[in-house]
């Protein structure tokens, strides 16, 4: 288990392949690669999480999370308002700025000042392994992320160049644009470390329902 030292006030982690996942956690019933978020107050609110990619809570003891297997998990904590969020940012959600939308909702409905947020970008596919076609590269170029697109050899080769995109760095930029100042970008690449973290691209046709769970919870105040 990859634990994050965001604050003593929260528990935050991402699971790996060897971890048991028998703990209680509210996860979206279905992640749609969009920008929708839900504020959850109890575990029963899971019924409102179909088709959303971010969860927000101010309830101590309620562990929330998202599922990924190459996409970018982002965990947020604001100590001033005691608000946490878990975001699933795939390439489509990244383009649509789910991060900015979630931070905006935290500000509007929970009173969060973005500058007070601490963020962790968890294990995900990194630029060396995230190969895309010209059509996807063009979408990122048009969205203003051309600086994060590079022609590079195909993973594990010295030739056959393709476009590669730096998703975690784009997510970091979106956090900065949203006003977040404290950001930890984890170095773990799911594709490269496929024996430690699930990677849909690396597993190919063998990939089924395996997922990394990235979770965050406000600790109870004694």
């Amino acid at each position: 288990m990859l634990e994050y030292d965001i604050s003593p006030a929260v528990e935050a982690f991402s699971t790996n392949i060897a971890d048991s996942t028998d703990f209680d956690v509210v996860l979206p019933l279905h992640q749609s690669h969009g920008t929708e978020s839900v504020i959850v107050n109890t575990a029963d609110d899971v019924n409102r999480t179909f088709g959303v990619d971010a969860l927000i809570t101010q309830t101590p003891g309620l562990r929330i999370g998202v599922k990924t297997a190459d996409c970018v998990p982002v965990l947020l904590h604001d100590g001033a308002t005691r608000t946490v969020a878990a975001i699933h940012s795939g390439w489509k959600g990244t383009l649509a700025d789910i991060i900015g939308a979630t931070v905006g909702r935290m500000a509007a409905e929970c009173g969060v000042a973005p500058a007070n947020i601490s963020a962790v970008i968890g294990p995900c596919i990194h630029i060396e392994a995230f190969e895309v076609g010209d059509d996807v590269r063009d979408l990122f170029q048009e969205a203003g992320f051309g600086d994060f697109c590079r022609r590079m050899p195909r993973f594990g080769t010295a030739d056959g160049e393709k476009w590669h995109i730096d998703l975690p760095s784009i997510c970091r930029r979106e956090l900065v644009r949203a006003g977040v100042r404290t950001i930890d970008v984890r170095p773990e690449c799911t594709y490269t470390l496929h024996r430690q973290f699930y990677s849909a691209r690396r597993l190919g046709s063998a990939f089924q329902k395996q997922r990394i769970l990235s979770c965050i919870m406000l600790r109870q105040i004694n």
Side-chain angles (χ1 to χ4, degrees):
M1 187 173 292
L2 183 59
E3 298 183 85
Y4 305 123
D5 186 21
I6 297 177
S7 164
V10 299
E11 167 200 275
F13 61 85
S14 292
T15 61
N16 61 36
I17 289 174
D19 289 329
S20 168
T21 57
D22 58 355
F23 46 81
D24 293 330
V25 57
V26 176
L27 299 166
L29 293 176
H30 172 67
Q31 296 173 175
S32 63
H33 294 263
T35 61
E36 293 298 317
S37 62
V38 166
I39 296 175
V40 294
N41 300 304
T42 70
D44 292 337
D45 287 339
V46 68
N47 295 321
R48 299 192 292 115
T49 67
F50 189 88
V52 305
D53 290 83
L55 302 179
I56 302 166
T57 192
Q58 293 181 305
T59 302
L62 184 64
R63 185 183 292 110
I64 59 173
V66 288
K67 300 171 285 185
T68 61
D70 284 333
C71 294
V72 186
V74 183
L75 301 178
L76 307 177
H77 170 243
D78 170 38
T81 61
R82 285 184 55 79
T83 306
V84 293
I87 303 171
H88 161 257
S89 191
W91 72 262
K92 292 180 181 178
T94 300
L95 271 178
D97 194 12
I98 184 174
I99 290 172
T102 304
V103 172
R105 185 166 190 182
M106 293 170 71
E109 300 187 37
C110 302
V112 170
N116 291 336
I117 292 175
S118 295
V120 171
I121 294 173
C124 61
I125 195 165
H126 283 230
I127 187 170
E128 295 82 4
F130 187 38
E131 303 171 0
V132 301
D134 291 349
D135 54 341
V136 174
R137 183 266 180 183
D138 290 346
L139 291 173
F140 279 86
Q141 176 75 28
E142 292 164 6
F145 297 121
D147 290 347
F148 299 93
C149 305
R150 292 171 54 192
R151 293 288 293 181
M152 298 173 61
R154 302 199 67 174
F155 186 85
T157 74
D159 54 18
E161 284 195 347
K162 290 196 68 173
W163 284 109
H164 292 237
I165 294 178
D166 191 347
L167 273 185
S169 291
I170 293 174
C171 288
R172 185 184 186 283
R173 174 181 280 189
E174 290 185 332
L175 283 165
V176 171
R177 284 179 172 174
V180 179
R181 297 176 181 173
T182 304
I183 305 166
D184 178 17
V185 182
R186 296 295 308 184
E188 292 86 1
C189 172
T190 48
Y191 191 97
T192 304
L193 300 175
H194 63 282
R195 291 184 175 85
Q196 182 177 353
F197 298 101
Y198 292 116
S199 169
R201 285 194 170 215
R202 191 66 179 253
L203 288 172
S205 60
F207 180 72
Q208 297 180 10
K209 295 183 179 179
Q210 307 100 320
R211 296 291 189 279
I212 301 162
L213 302 185
S214 292
C215 307
I216 190 164
M217 180 185 74
L218 290 165
R219 299 187 190 277
Q220 300 279 1
I221 298 177
N222 296 326

